[in-house]
């Protein structure tokens, strides 16, 4: 714990740490302002408005000059509005929970970026600054020193995520009021009629994001132990982070031809597609399979991290 405490103090001795936290606050505030400006005013009589829309649409169907395509589009709108009424879903609902479900889940990408930057420099910075020898002459085994750094990186990741959630929740209340956890909304990721409970949807989005985030964090930490140059470790980590989505699309396009590609890491990093079932990565893909792949890669990266750090030469 003394080693963890020491590493924690190192992180908070840097100005960049406070900049990251402040940026999350500003990002949450900026997203709330945009949402507030773009969202329509919530109508308390939304049911009456929907019924009025349905009546107008039904009248439009009676027009003689209407084409079959227009009829089909209007019928689709009528059915959609009737389903909203039947499921008691306000299409203009705007609360702190709807704000977090639509915006905060996207802002987690900033948490990933900031944690990758910090993790990829935790060990490499010791080599760049020339402090690695002073660190390793302390009466602790190498693996304990490295473990303390890894634990600190996870604690810092938890702090940034908790900060984003807290900022978003409070800012959401200020701008939109405190809504109900059990309010129903339409699944933002679905193009079909797919109602979800807003609070459950938000919690699921965060939980399903965490495994991929943990693997990315571990990759960045591993690179920090492999490279003595801090700038190189950070650059490669950020490149992998931003290239992962592109690599995922490339792998998806060839996965039908090459079965072994389903065991590559990148298609499994974002599990949030499993929440609504709107994204199917490949035939036979399941949440359990993706979790298993992520777990295997996580253990491999962690083992390589400790192995190379144990063998690393610090004489130069």
């Amino acid at each position: 714990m003394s080693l963890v405490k020491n590493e924690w103090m190192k992180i908070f001795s840097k100005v960049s740490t406070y900049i990251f936290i402040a940026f999350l606050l500003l990002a949450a505030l900026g997203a709330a302002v945009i949402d507030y400006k773009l969202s329509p005013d919530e109508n308390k009589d939304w049911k009456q408005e929907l019924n009025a829309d349905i009546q107008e649409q039904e009248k439009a169907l009676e027009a003689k000059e209407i084409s079959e395509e227009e009829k089909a589009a209007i019928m689709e709108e009528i059915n959609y509005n009737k389903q909203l009424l039947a499921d008691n879903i306000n299409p203009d609902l705007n609360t702190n929970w709807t704000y977090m479900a639509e915006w905060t889940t996207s802002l987690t990408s900033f948490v990933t970026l900031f944690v990758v930057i910090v993790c990829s420099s935790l060990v490499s910075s010791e080599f760049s600054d020339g402090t690695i020898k002073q660190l390793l002459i302390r009466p602790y085994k190498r693996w304990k020193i490295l473990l303390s750094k890894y634990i600190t990186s996870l604690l810092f990741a938890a702090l940034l995520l908790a900060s984003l959630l807290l900022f978003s929740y409070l800012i959401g209340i200020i701008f939109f009021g405190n809504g109900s956890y059990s309010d129903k909304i339409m699944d933002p990721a679905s193009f079909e009629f797919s109602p979800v409970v807003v609070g459950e949807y938000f919690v699921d989005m965060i939980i399903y994001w965490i495994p991929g985030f943990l693997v990315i964090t571990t990759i960045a930490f591993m690179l920090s132990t492999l490279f003595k140059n801090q700038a190189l470790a950070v650059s490669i980590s950020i490149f992998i982070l931003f290239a992962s989505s592109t690599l995922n699309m490339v792998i998806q396009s060839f996965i039908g031809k090459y079965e072994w590609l389903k065991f590559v890491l990148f298609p499994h990093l974002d599990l949030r597609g499993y929440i609504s079932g709107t994204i199917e990565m490949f035939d036979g893909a399941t949440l359990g399979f993706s979790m298993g792949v992520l777990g295997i890669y996580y253990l491999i990266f962690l083992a390589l991290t400790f192995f190379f750090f144990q063998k690393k030469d610090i004489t130069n």
Side-chain angles (χ1 to χ4, degrees), residues 149-163:
K149 285 182 174 290
Y150 185 65
I151 292 173
T152 304
S153 69
L154 297 182
L155 291 175
F156 181 69
L159 173 66
L160 288 190
L161 178 59
S163 299

Side-chain angles (χ1 to χ4, degrees), residues 184-199:
K184 284 186 177 181
I185 63 168
M186 298 305 301
D187 185 346
S190 177
F191 295 102
E192 301 176 356
F193 187 86
S194 181
V196 293
V197 175
V198 63

Side-chain angles (χ1 to χ4, degrees), residues 9-305:
M9 291 173 62
K10 286 182 183 178
I11 288 179
F12 278 89
S13 66
K14 299 176 181 178
V15 178
S16 58
T17 300
Y18 301 95
I19 293 175
F20 293 156
I21 296 174
F23 185 91
L24 292 178
L25 173 60
L26 293 175
L29 182 60
V33 171
I34 294 172
D35 193 18
Y36 184 79
K37 295 291 185 182
L38 295 180
S39 300
D41 294 332
E42 186 176 346
N43 187 357
K44 294 182 179 179
D45 299 324
W46 62 273
K47 290 184 179 181
Q48 294 180 8
E49 186 175 328
L50 275 182
N51 279 315
D53 289 342
I54 291 171
Q55 291 176 2
E56 289 182 8
Q57 290 159 351
E58 287 175 342
K59 287 180 181 179
L61 286 175
E62 299 173 1
K64 294 180 180 179
E65 65 278 4
I66 191 170
S67 67
E68 291 299 322
E69 293 166 350
E70 290 174 323
K71 272 187 180 180
I74 293 173
M75 282 299 301
E76 189 175 340
E77 288 184 29
I78 291 173
N79 292 332
Y80 183 83
N81 288 337
K82 285 182 177 179
Q83 285 179 307
L84 289 176
L85 288 170
D87 285 57
N88 196 34
I89 300 174
N90 181 358
D92 298 328
L93 182 67
N94 214 10
T95 67
N96 60 325
W97 286 106
T98 61
Y99 154 71
M100 290 191 294
E102 294 175 8
W103 291 88
T104 305
T105 51
S106 298
L107 294 178
T108 52
S109 58
F110 290 116
V111 174
T112 305
L113 175 61
F114 297 153
V115 171
V116 163
I117 292 173
V118 171
C119 286
S120 58
S121 63
L122 273 177
V123 180
S124 58
S125 63
E126 300 282 2
F127 286 98
S128 296
D129 299 338
T131 57
I132 187 66
K133 290 182 180 179
Q134 289 83 356
L135 182 66
L136 294 183
I137 61 173
R138 301 179 67 182
Y140 297 101
K141 294 182 179 180
R142 281 196 179 192
W143 69 266
K144 285 188 177 181
I145 293 173
L146 188 62
L147 181 61
S148 69
K149 285 182 174 290
Y150 185 65
I151 292 173
T152 304
S153 69
L154 297 182
L155 291 175
F156 181 69
L159 173 66
L160 288 190
L161 178 59
S163 299
L164 175 63
L165 298 182
L166 179 62
F167 293 154
S168 298
Y169 183 78
L170 296 178
I171 289 172
I173 291 177
I174 294 171
F175 277 83
F176 311 108
N178 191 13
S180 173
Y181 178 92
S182 58
D183 282 334
K184 284 186 177 181
I185 63 168
M186 298 305 301
D187 185 346
S190 177
F191 295 102
E192 301 176 356
F193 187 86
S194 181
V196 293
V197 175
V198 63
E200 293 177 359
Y201 175 83
F202 172 72
V203 171
D204 285 346
M205 287 290 282
I206 296 299
I207 291 175
Y208 280 57
W209 165 80
I210 288 176
F213 169 66
L214 182 61
V215 172
I216 288 289
T217 299
T218 306
I219 291 174
F221 188 75
M222 178 184 69
L223 292 173
S224 181
T225 63
L226 294 180
F227 298 101
K228 294 183 178 182
N229 187 294
Q230 180 182 352
L232 183 61
V234 173
S235 299
I236 294 177
S237 298
I238 293 176
F239 173 78
I240 292 175
L241 175 62
F242 284 103
S244 60
S245 58
T246 303
L247 291 172
N248 179 30
M249 288 189 292
V250 173
I251 291 170
Q252 292 281 12
S253 62
F254 289 100
I255 208 165
K257 188 176 180 181
Y258 303 102
E259 282 287 313
W260 60 269
L261 286 175
K262 65 174 63 176
F263 298 102
V264 176
L265 172 66
F266 297 104
H268 305 278
L269 282 175
D270 194 349
L271 302 177
R272 290 178 290 187
Y274 287 112
I275 293 176
S276 57
T278 54
I279 303 174
E280 186 176 354
M281 295 185 296
F282 49 83
D283 291 338
T286 63
L287 177 61
F289 178 74
S290 292
M291 286 290 292
V293 171
L294 287 176
I296 292 171
Y297 275 101
Y298 173 76
L299 293 176
I300 291 173
F301 293 145
L302 210 55
L304 289 174
T305 300

